[in-house]
Amino acid sequence: MRGLLACAMLAAMTSAAVTTAATAQVSDDVVRIGVLTDLSSWGRDNSGPGSVEAAKMAVEEFGPTVLGKPIEIISADHQMKTDVGVNIVRGWFDNGKVDAVVDIPNSGIAIAVHNMVRERNKIALLSGPGASSLTDELCSPNTVHFTYDTYALSKVTASAVIKEGGKSWYFITADYAFGQQLEKDATRFINEMGGKVLGGVKHPTNTADFSSFALQAQSSKADVVAFANAGQDTDNAIKQSGEFGLVQGGQKLVGLLMFDTDVHAIGLKAAQGTYMTTASYWNMDEATRAWSKKFFARTNVMPTMIHTGVYGSVLHYLKAIKAAGTDDPAKVMAKMRELPIEDTFVHGGKLREDGRVIRDMYLAKVKTPEQSKEPWDYLEIIKTVKGEDAFRPVSESKCPLLKK
């Protein structure tokens, strides 16, 4: 009897030790994800509350726990201000026990947080920012650039428009890191394909009156007027360019970063014929339609590629924690690079050592009002571009992580 009791006690102690070892694999007994987004400024519709809901939908799809521990989504508004965003993330790391930061529309804020994440040994899952420098000269082993970047946007769009005869270009560019990088990347591909840039103008973010910029673009006589901006700036710029008759005068309009929500805001009449590149579209197949309708029921908008990127990056992060058996950042990042990326919108994606997710991109053209058959039926997918052809190749990279 005593022997049996001793064995039972030993088994209980062993079980407790195993349980303790297992639970120790998740820091602070919770996986906490912070969605840093724009809830009140010009990028709100393209990310904002939709990004928060997309993160929650990823958790719901994965399950409420990982490694037996709860998953918590918190969020905050960076207001498109770098100091505000940095202070929020610092507080999350110092006091909030946040393990990963998600989204971050605005490249200037994203770059600052990207550097902080590396210093604090946390993880950044970036869907909102576009600056391709994040995975080039600024690359970090702790950052995942999940959705799009300025390199892919400009390469896919510029290549297609030049092939259609758009040889001369004029830029209307937002005067901050993202806009400047987007114009720089686009200029490179324009020159390489035999086109030329006739000029351009830079504007502050959150500009309401684009009339003088539209007139300058019109007077340039450029074949193409390209908008290297985002959010309400893009909406206002394209609307007002339409009012000044740029398209009727024979100029092509190109939104180097546009979303479904931008087309919705501009309207098909003003936006029709505009070229854009996207990483996802809600109306691709039955699976994307079903997911998007659930998203719409929660947000009253169809998902942008930022929203689907938040969903996909959070889902892949949770899968990696499960596979690694821990939320240790280095081990999780290793698993994220090892596992193929599979979700409703990405198939066969791959996380490269520089943090760039290699995934298919889509060249799209905004439909005419007559072509649209239902609400939010805005885009005609012209071409699927493989990730290897869309994003910066290893041979061009300045990232030391790819030189090992």
Side-chain angles (χ1 to χ4, degrees), residues 24 42 63 72 81 96 121 166 265 295 309 373 402:
W42 51 266
E72 182 179 345
K81 299 175 181 177
N121 193 30
F295 181 88
K373 303 304 180 185
L402 294 174

Side-chain angles (χ1 to χ4, degrees), residues 253-271:
L253 303 185
V254 168
L256 289 172
L257 176 61
M258 280 186 69
F259 302 96
D260 310 53
T261 46
D262 293 319
V263 180
H264 187 74
I266 297 167
L268 287 179
K269 185 176 180 180

Side-chain angles (χ1 to χ4, degrees), residues 45-359:
D45 292 342
N46 301 330
S47 53
S51 290
V52 180
E53 291 302 316
K56 291 178 179 178
M57 288 177 70
V59 174
E60 291 164 13
E61 181 174 326
F62 181 83
T65 65
V66 59
L67 301 179
K69 296 300 178 182
I71 305 161
E72 182 179 345
I73 300 293
I74 64 173
S75 61
D77 181 8
H78 62 38
Q79 303 172 41
M80 288 292 175
K81 299 175 181 177
T82 301
D83 58 337
V84 172
V86 167
N87 286 333
I88 289 169
V89 175
R90 184 178 293 115
W92 279 353
F93 291 164
D94 290 346
N95 306 310
K97 299 179 180 179
V98 166
D99 301 294
V101 183
V102 183
D103 196 12
I104 321 186
N106 186 303
S107 292
I109 300 171
I111 289 169
V113 173
H114 158 89
N115 292 332
M116 189 190 307
V117 163
R118 177 167 43 195
E119 294 165 3
R120 300 294 188 92
N121 193 30
K122 301 288 187 175
I123 289 177
L125 306 170
L126 304 180
S127 180
S132 61
S133 57
L134 284 159
T135 56
D136 195 28
E137 65 267 25
L138 301 179
C139 69
S140 162
N142 294 68
T143 289
V144 178
H145 205 179
F146 195 86
T147 308
Y148 68 96
D149 64 25
T150 54
Y151 186 102
L153 294 177
S154 56
K155 181 179 181 182
V156 173
T157 308
S159 299
V161 174
I162 287 177
K163 286 179 181 177
E164 286 206 355
K167 297 294 186 180
S168 60
W169 291 59
Y170 188 91
F171 283 94
I172 296 177
T173 301
D175 194 12
Y176 75 112
F178 166 78
Q180 295 161 10
Q181 184 74 55
L182 189 53
E183 179 179 336
K184 178 182 176 182
D185 286 342
T187 297
R188 171 202 162 170
F189 294 115
I190 292 165
N191 290 335
E192 285 183 356
M193 296 192 67
K196 59 182 178 180
V197 176
L198 300 184
V201 61
K202 290 184 170 57
H203 67 84
T205 56
N206 213 15
T207 293
D209 185 3
F210 280 86
S211 56
S212 65
F213 306 132
L215 287 171
Q216 289 177 64
Q218 189 175 47
S219 64
S220 75
K221 306 297 184 183
D223 299 329
V224 181
V225 178
F227 303 95
N229 47 21
Q232 291 177 3
D233 286 335
T234 302
D235 301 347
N236 290 334
I238 292 179
K239 270 185 182 178
Q240 293 171 37
S241 295
E243 291 168 1
F244 279 97
L246 271 67
V247 174
Q248 292 89 329
Q251 292 177 298
K252 296 178 185 293
L253 303 185
V254 168
L256 289 172
L257 176 61
M258 280 186 69
F259 302 96
D260 310 53
T261 46
D262 293 319
V263 180
H264 187 74
I266 297 167
L268 287 179
K269 185 176 180 180
Q272 62 182 307
T274 302
Y275 285 91
M276 57 187 281
T277 296
T278 184
S280 68
Y281 182 48
W282 74 271
N283 202 17
M284 295 287 286
D285 54 43
E286 288 300 325
T288 62
R289 282 190 286 273
W291 191 96
S292 299
K293 287 177 181 178
K294 291 179 183 178
F295 181 88
F296 185 89
R298 299 166 73 141
T299 64
N300 206 36
V301 296
M302 283 300 183
T304 67
M305 63 175 165
I306 292 181
H307 298 145
T308 64
V310 169
Y311 152 75
S313 62
V314 170
L315 187 61
H316 192 58
Y317 172 64
L318 295 174
K319 289 177 180 178
I321 292 175
K322 181 179 180 180
T326 176
D327 67 347
D328 174 79
K331 293 178 181 178
V332 172
M333 286 296 300
K335 279 296 179 183
M336 291 184 79
R337 288 188 286 266
E338 177 185 324
L339 297 172
I341 301 173
E342 289 288 337
D343 61 55
T344 302
F345 297 90
V346 182
H347 303 291
K350 179 71 176 175
L351 174 59
R352 212 163 55 183
E353 290 290 335
D354 58 355
R356 177 65 258 165
V357 167
I358 305 301
R359 55 182 292 171

